[in-house]
Amino acid sequence: MQTRPPTKILLIEDDEDDYILLQKVLKKTPQGHYKLQWEHSYTSGLACMLTGEHDLCMLDYRLGAHTGIELLKTARSQGYNRPIILLTGANEGDIDILALQAGADDYIAKEQLQGELLHRIIRYAIERKKAEHERERLLSEQIAAQELERKRNEFIGMVVHELKTPLTSLKGYAQLLYKRCLKTGDEQTAQFASRMDGQITKLTSLVDDFLDVTRLAEGKLQFVEDSFSFDTLVEEVIQEIQLINEQQTIRREGLTNKTIWGDRTRTGQVITNLLTNAMKYAPDTDTILLKTSSNTDTVTLCVQDFGPGIPRALQNKIFDPFYRIEKNQPGTASGLGLGLHIAAEIIKRQGGRIWVESEEGKGATFWFTLPTNRTLPISSQEDAT
């Protein structure tokens, strides 16, 4: 059986009799296994505290011209982080409180030095200090992670802003080239320019997603709220998407006949994302179904595709940032995995709910609801949560 290593204790005590007494008490403690190192002065004690190998320090309150509290404060100010127990006399007033305020982990009066009590105080002081160090480590890691996340978001934001300007120029040039080629009858070059414009639009959409997810992480995503007709917004989005995708038909069912309060543009962004995803992940189907309905408190919209569906094990993950279905899974398409995360945050911040229902081989249906009677602005709702 392997012998447990001894607990190394540094004793700083100017009275040799007290050192001998403590040594005897520790030897008679059946629960513990201790190795005692004795230093008899303030100076040598401080040197050993800062350079020696030990698990715990016990120091006397009276150390000649100095006090144990003075030594305690000096050691702590120089980075000493091991547990400290202060030894006090019988009638030394509020020394115990002063010791704890100065950084001691515990204290004990010399007349109370007995094996079981001393063993318990030593063990608790060591364990408390370990727990304190672990909390400090976790807090330090959390702060470092937050700082790294802040710098990452700053970097992404800077890159996105730098990309936006040339992309806007490229899109303008592509559209101008397309119009000129149509006028001159150069249909092949006009087709190339149109494709170029489409790819620039895709790239711009990816850049916008990066910008939105960065703003979400920083709590800076802007919402411009007003009352708007939900049905009119849905119809506008359908018409816009149908213009650029004539291969698949969006069939609409139901009306809400509701005017709701929220960010019209952001809500349209969500509907656009759901429809384009349905088309992208079910490219071999002819129809995408969009249904809307309402009750007293909410409007509901769902987008149903008839593609390969989403495995049940993945359905809770698809709203996570940067999550995409792996290549070996059915229904894989290009993208960064940000659209659904952004859509979910937009809906949640407007007091709504978003979810997916799907069976493999039977397509997927994405749903969201929004309240019809919301009165609090988005910032107030976030504060409340």
Side-chain angles (χ1 to χ4, degrees):
M1 183 176 177
Q2 190 174 6
T3 304
R4 183 166 53 90
T7 300
K8 298 177 182 178
I9 298 176
L10 171 63
L11 172 65
I12 305 173
E13 168 66 71
D14 62 354
D15 189 332
E16 186 174 3
D17 291 339
D18 286 338
Y19 157 60
I20 295 171
L21 173 63
L22 181 62
Q23 194 173 41
K24 289 180 180 179
V25 172
L26 291 174
K27 283 183 178 179
K28 292 180 180 179
T29 305
Q31 305 98 323
H33 179 32
Y34 299 104
K35 181 178 180 181
L36 190 62
Q37 176 187 352
W38 176 43
E39 295 295 335
H40 66 277
S41 71
Y42 176 99
T43 303
S44 64
L46 178 61
C48 285
M49 289 178 79
L50 299 179
T51 61
E53 290 294 328
H54 53 275
D55 300 303
L56 175 139
C57 177
M58 299 182 71
L59 56 90
D60 189 14
Y61 173 65
R62 299 193 180 279
L63 295 171
H66 299 278
T67 68
I69 290 182
E70 290 175 344
L71 177 55
L72 195 160
K73 289 181 177 179
T74 301
R76 290 296 193 216
S77 69
Q78 296 186 33
Y80 183 76
N81 62 2
R82 293 182 178 90
I84 297 174
I85 297 174
L86 188 75
L87 301 173
T88 67
N91 299 302
E92 292 183 319
D94 296 329
I95 299 306
D96 50 0
I97 303 300
L98 294 174
L100 295 175
Q101 291 174 343
D105 294 276
D106 213 330
Y107 60 90
I108 184 171
K110 290 181 180 180
E111 70 270 14
Q112 295 177 329
L113 285 176
Q114 53 174 302
E116 184 179 347
L117 175 61
L118 184 59
H119 171 71
R120 186 167 68 249
I121 289 176
I122 290 172
R123 184 162 60 91
Y124 285 1
I126 291 174
E127 292 304 317
R128 279 198 303 269
K129 187 59 70 174
K130 286 181 180 178
E132 180 183 323
H133 290 165
E134 180 64 13
R135 285 195 300 271
E136 290 175 352
R137 183 186 67 81
L138 293 174
L139 179 60
S140 178
E141 290 179 356
Q142 182 181 9
I143 292 172
Q146 290 173 345
E147 178 64 15
L148 182 62
E149 181 70 10
R150 185 186 66 80
K151 290 181 177 179
R152 183 184 74 89
N153 289 335
E154 282 184 357
F155 175 75
I156 292 175
M158 179 183 68
V159 171
V160 165
H161 282 296
E162 291 297 321
L163 288 172
K164 289 283 283 185
T165 300
L167 282 175
T168 301
S169 299
L170 282 172
K171 187 171 183 63
Y173 290 139
Q175 292 174 345
L176 180 61
L177 178 62
Y178 174 75
K179 291 177 181 178
R180 288 187 175 180
C181 289
L182 285 181
K183 287 183 179 180
T184 60
D186 189 349
E187 293 184 3
Q188 185 178 31
T189 305
Q191 188 178 16
F192 290 155
S194 177
R195 290 178 181 175
M196 183 191 306
D197 183 42
Q199 294 302 314
I200 293 170
T201 298
K202 288 183 180 179
L203 184 55
T204 302
S205 178
L206 292 177
V207 170
D208 287 339
D209 283 349
F210 261 123
L211 187 58
D212 280 348
V213 80
T214 302
R215 288 170 173 166
L216 279 171
E218 295 176 344
K220 296 180 179 178
L221 189 66
Q222 296 295 315
F223 287 81
V224 181
E225 298 183 278
D226 202 348
S227 59
F228 63 91
S229 166
F230 189 74
D231 292 329
T232 301
L233 172 64
V234 171
E235 191 60 36
E236 288 177 5
V237 173
I238 291 174
Q239 290 178 7
E240 290 173 3
I241 293 177
Q242 204 68 86
L243 284 174
I244 59 176
N245 188 336
E246 298 178 352
Q247 287 74 35
Q248 294 167 292
T249 300
I250 302 171
R251 190 173 84 241
R252 181 179 181 183
E253 295 182 2
L255 293 172
T256 66
N257 298 310
K258 293 286 186 179
T259 297
I260 68 172
W261 178 268
D263 188 316
R264 191 180 194 275
T265 301
R266 291 293 183 189
T267 304
Q269 180 180 345
V270 174
I271 301 170
T272 299
N273 178 265
L274 298 183
L275 286 172
T276 54
N277 275 355
M279 292 175 167
K280 183 167 60 174
Y281 282 90
D284 299 327
T285 60
D286 297 328
T287 303
I288 303 298
L289 182 60
L290 184 150
K291 298 180 181 179
T292 55
S293 61
S294 65
N295 58 29
T296 305
D297 301 318
T298 62
V299 294
T300 301
L301 180 144
C302 75
V303 173
Q304 181 180 2
D305 67 57
F306 302 92
I310 303 169
R312 186 174 297 275
L314 305 181
Q315 291 177 19
N316 289 332
K317 301 178 181 179
I318 57 174
F319 295 105
D320 294 342
F322 299 103
Y323 182 81
R324 295 182 63 250
I325 297 175
E326 298 296 332
K327 291 290 185 182
N328 59 350
Q329 296 289 345
T332 299
S334 61
L336 295 173
L338 292 175
L340 284 175
H341 171 66
I342 295 168
E345 289 297 319
I346 290 171
I347 294 300
K348 290 175 185 177
R349 295 192 185 200
Q350 295 186 102
R353 176 171 166 256
I354 187 168
W355 71 98
V356 62
E357 297 174 358
S358 179
E359 291 185 36
E360 285 190 79
K362 297 184 179 180
T365 303
F366 283 83
W367 300 75
F368 75 78
T369 63
L370 285 173
T372 57
N373 54 359
R374 182 168 64 88
T375 56
L376 284 176
I378 288 174
S379 58
S380 300
Q381 290 189 100
E382 291 174 350
D383 293 340
T385 58

